Amino acid sequence: MSLEQKVGQLFATYVYGGDAVDPSATDRAANLAAFGVETPAEVIERYDLGGVCYFSWSHNLDSPRQIATLSNGLQRAALGDGAKGRVPLLISTDQEQGAVVRMPSPAAQFPGSMALGAGRSARDARTAAEVTGRELRAVGIRQPYAPIADVNVNPGNPVIGVRSFGADPTLVAALTAAQVTGFQDRAGVTAAAKHFPGHGDTATDSHTGLPVINHSRAEWDRIDAPPFRRAIRAGVDTIMTAHIVVPALDPSGDPATLSPTILTGVLRGELGFRGVIVTDALNMAGVRAKYGDERVPVLALKAGADQLLMPPNLALARDAVLRAVATGELTERRIDESVRRILGVKYRQGLASSPLVDVEKAVRTVGAPEHLAAVTRVTDPTLTAVRNDAGVLPLPHADRSVLITGWDSAAFAPVATVAAGFTARGARATARPATLPSDTTIAATASQAAEHDLTVVLVNKAWDTSVTDPRATQQRLVAALLGTGKPVVVVAVRDPYDIAYLPGVTTYLATYSYTRAAMDALVRALHGELSPSGRLPVTIPTAEGAGSVLYPYGHGLSW
């Protein structure tokens, strides 16, 4: 391989379009603006890319047939005419499940990490990873950026939250290792444990700022390190870095992604990791805060990273690495070390011998009946009943009027899904989505609730009045509904912490996600057809914080 080809192998980025050679006019223009060429295939060829990361916003993910066809087209572009040095791509996506989902319907949609933490089952975590990995592999995606190894000990964490298995390092370590096994040993895809050295105690989103983790070295060893140690023991192929500063590990003030002390000293030296270190996206503010875009990829390689993900300017980043080799700041031997690790993953994936996928098999695999059955089987034990003080639950099957309202999602339609479940059980259900409602909508919804026998209201990060809901509309909606005097069931469809910010609520459940399977489990539990068995994988503090506990780790009701 030429130096240019080897440097190209270090980079993975997005491309615009659902077809490798015939994207839409809009996607052609987007590729031209970002990469100087019009088609995804031309991006691969121009930059000798080692990897591509799929997103919905870059129009890569529409259907199993389309995704598989795109993957084959990109692989053909990477391989070219079979000339020496041309190697297949490692195609990736963030299919974490739960709050971070990339694959479209009919793909199996599991409820996500914190839900699995509530279920407490390593077997179910492994199953979720295996099914997810099999569906990804079928469409040509060999590197899911999962599992999440962060221990979410900060209830105010704006970026991790339910993406984590929970707040207990032992639980997170066990489920992380189970998912590594599910992805790699069972499904044959490359797991990527993230975000090293641990993003679970941040109050800043590294997409928009540079978080500082003030754990002592002893706290890091006890809280953050165990899941990564277990992932490494399980044979994880890839670990993703975090754009966070951890002074106890490196007092320089550099983010971990750019820290030789953390990546080479701690991750490789102390923890013994020998696989591929992939950076988190290099277009995030956390890694760009201290150095310019031209320096970041060079510093990441000097720190010990192998795969450079999504630089904001691919041409600038590639040329900076080539220039660093030419000036001696980086040696070609150092480049070779990373390329060998990346090629090793591709070889173990079987990409050298079978880079293309069977499109018809992909269509049969994604959303297969046995996969959807596994989704229900894994989701049911995760539902957590937190409060039932008024004894409202379980509900009888009855001819009653029920209003279903609150936060909604266009992709999953949880409000309509819950309403349909009530209707199927003899109720007269009305669906009234109210996502971040205006004052007028709050008043109208409360007025409507007063005319119903029962209201079920869904909330999503109602605690976050800084970013998600700055006008506290969800908190005010719940207060208005309680003011009607009618029974109100509140369901947290993301973070379980919302209950601390909803005074007066006497009936509260946590689903940790708003997938259809989660909403179906909710309806069955509300009607006594499913006995809630999930237990809180985190501690819920009071709104005042300061160490005061509202509901302890492990709390959960049943009936």
Side-chain angles (χ1 to χ4, degrees):
M1 298 172 69
S2 68
L3 176 62
E4 288 75 13
Q5 288 172 321
K6 289 189 287 190
V7 169
Q9 284 297 303
L10 306 180
F11 287 96
T13 192
Y14 55 87
V15 290
Y16 292 97
D19 187 273
V21 296
D22 189 25
S24 70
T26 300
D27 290 325
R28 285 179 179 273
N31 283 322
L32 190 62
F35 307 111
V37 292
E38 293 189 341
T39 71
E42 290 173 318
V43 177
I44 306 303
E45 293 161 355
R46 178 167 184 169
Y47 295 94
D48 294 302
L49 276 183
V52 166
C53 188
Y54 287 168
F55 294 95
S56 297
W57 53 259
S58 54
H59 308 144
N60 308 136
L61 301 165
D62 179 65
S63 70
R65 183 179 300 278
Q66 172 270 318
I67 301 167
T69 302
L70 172 63
S71 296
N72 284 346
L74 294 179
Q75 293 291 14
R76 291 188 181 101
L79 295 168
D81 59 2
K84 183 178 179 181
R86 301 303 293 271
V87 295
L89 293 165
L90 188 59
I91 299 175
S92 59
T93 198
D94 291 295
Q95 186 72 356
E96 298 174 12
Q97 300 286 19
V100 179
V101 172
R102 304 294 186 227
M103 285 284 284
S105 179
Q109 306 290 7
F110 289 89
S113 296
M114 192 169 283
L116 293 171
R120 299 293 201 277
S121 170
R123 181 185 63 185
D124 285 350
R126 185 172 59 245
T127 296
E130 178 183 354
V131 171
T132 300
R134 288 186 185 279
E135 294 198 347
L136 292 174
R137 185 181 175 97
V139 297
I141 300 171
R142 303 291 187 97
Q143 187 183 40
Y145 288 135
I148 303 293
D150 303 312
V151 182
N152 198 75
V153 293
N154 186 343
N157 194 322
V159 64
I160 303 300
V162 292
R163 297 169 64 196
S164 163
F165 292 113
D168 177 62
T170 302
L171 175 68
V172 175
L175 299 189
T176 296
Q179 291 220 308
V180 169
T181 299
F183 280 126
Q184 295 190 174
D185 299 346
R186 301 292 186 88
V189 296
T190 294
K194 61 185 185 184
H195 308 78
F196 189 82
H199 212 315
D201 194 12
T202 58
T204 301
D205 185 343
S206 52
H207 291 83
T208 57
L210 180 57
V212 177
I213 310 290
N214 286 312
H215 287 180
S216 67
R217 176 60 199 247
E219 287 173 325
W220 182 82
D221 282 327
R222 177 175 57 85
I223 297 171
D224 302 292
F228 292 101
R229 292 184 188 277
R230 283 289 303 274
I232 292 168
R233 287 212 309 268
V236 70
D237 275 336
T238 308
I239 290 179
M240 179 180 282
T241 70
H243 306 324
I244 58 174
V245 173
V246 187
L249 299 183
D250 180 0
S252 71
D254 285 342
T257 299
L258 308 182
S259 168
T261 302
I262 292 176
L263 298 191
T264 299
V266 177
L267 181 53
R268 294 227 188 268
E270 295 183 26
L271 273 60
F273 181 58
R274 297 293 176 261
V276 170
I277 298 176
V278 57
T279 70
D280 205 345
L282 297 182
N283 58 8
M284 294 166 58
V287 78
R288 304 172 72 187
K290 191 173 179 181
Y291 302 99
D293 292 338
E294 190 172 11
R295 293 295 299 156
V296 165
V298 175
L299 294 175
L301 291 171
K302 292 178 71 174
D306 301 304
Q307 190 180 43
L308 306 171
L309 181 61
M310 293 169 53
N313 185 324
L314 180 59
L316 179 74
R318 179 201 58 181
D319 291 348
V321 174
L322 289 170
R323 189 160 48 251
V325 176
T327 61
E329 185 178 9
L330 287 169
T331 66
E332 190 162 352
R333 179 179 178 180
R334 169 66 191 88
I335 302 298
D336 290 347
E337 290 174 1
S338 289
V339 173
R340 286 194 183 99
R341 293 189 189 105
I342 293 167
L343 295 182
V345 168
K346 293 182 179 184
Y347 185 82
R348 290 191 296 276
Q349 284 290 318
L351 285 167
S353 57
S354 301
L356 305 183
V357 297
D358 182 329
V359 174
E360 297 306 322
K361 182 178 179 181
V363 173
R364 294 192 303 270
T365 300
V366 177
E370 62 270 25
H371 292 176
L372 302 185
V375 169
T376 299
R377 190 169 64 250
V378 169
T379 301
D380 282 357
T382 68
L383 180 75
T384 307
V386 177
R387 178 177 284 180
N388 190 27
D389 294 358
V392 171
L393 303 176
L395 301 167
H397 290 226
D399 178 16
R400 67 173 71 211
S401 61
V402 182
L403 176 66
I404 316 297
T405 189
W407 188 89
D408 203 38
S409 154
F412 291 98
V415 169
T417 300
V418 174
F422 270 87
T423 298
R425 289 160 176 80
R428 288 167 282 116
T430 301
R432 184 188 177 104
T435 301
L436 305 184
S438 65
D439 292 348
T440 302
T441 298
I442 290 172
T445 304
S447 177
Q448 194 171 5
E451 300 173 357
H452 286 73
D453 299 319
L454 173 74
T455 295
V456 178
V457 56
L458 312 183
V459 292
N460 184 324
K461 291 187 78 171
W463 66 267
D464 182 8
T465 55
S466 296
V467 177
T468 304
D469 190 0
R471 295 189 302 113
T473 59
Q474 296 181 89
Q475 296 180 29
R476 291 191 289 115
L477 172 63
V478 171
L481 295 172
L482 293 172
T484 66
K486 295 294 185 72
V488 176
V489 176
V490 180
V491 183
V493 297
R494 186 163 170 149
D495 299 3
Y497 309 112
D498 289 348
I499 181 65
Y501 299 82
L502 304 172
V505 170
T506 58
T507 311
Y508 182 82
L509 301 95
T511 63
Y512 311 97
S513 75
Y514 40 85
T515 64
R516 286 185 172 84
M519 295 301 96
D520 177 65
L522 169 67
V523 172
R524 286 185 284 123
L526 293 178
H527 288 87
E529 301 161 20
L530 171 67
S531 179
S533 58
R535 292 175 289 153
L536 288 175
V538 294
T539 296
I540 299 179
T542 63
E544 293 76 24
S548 147
V549 175
L550 184 62
Y551 290 101
Y553 177 93
H555 172 79
L557 306 176
S558 191
W559 47 77

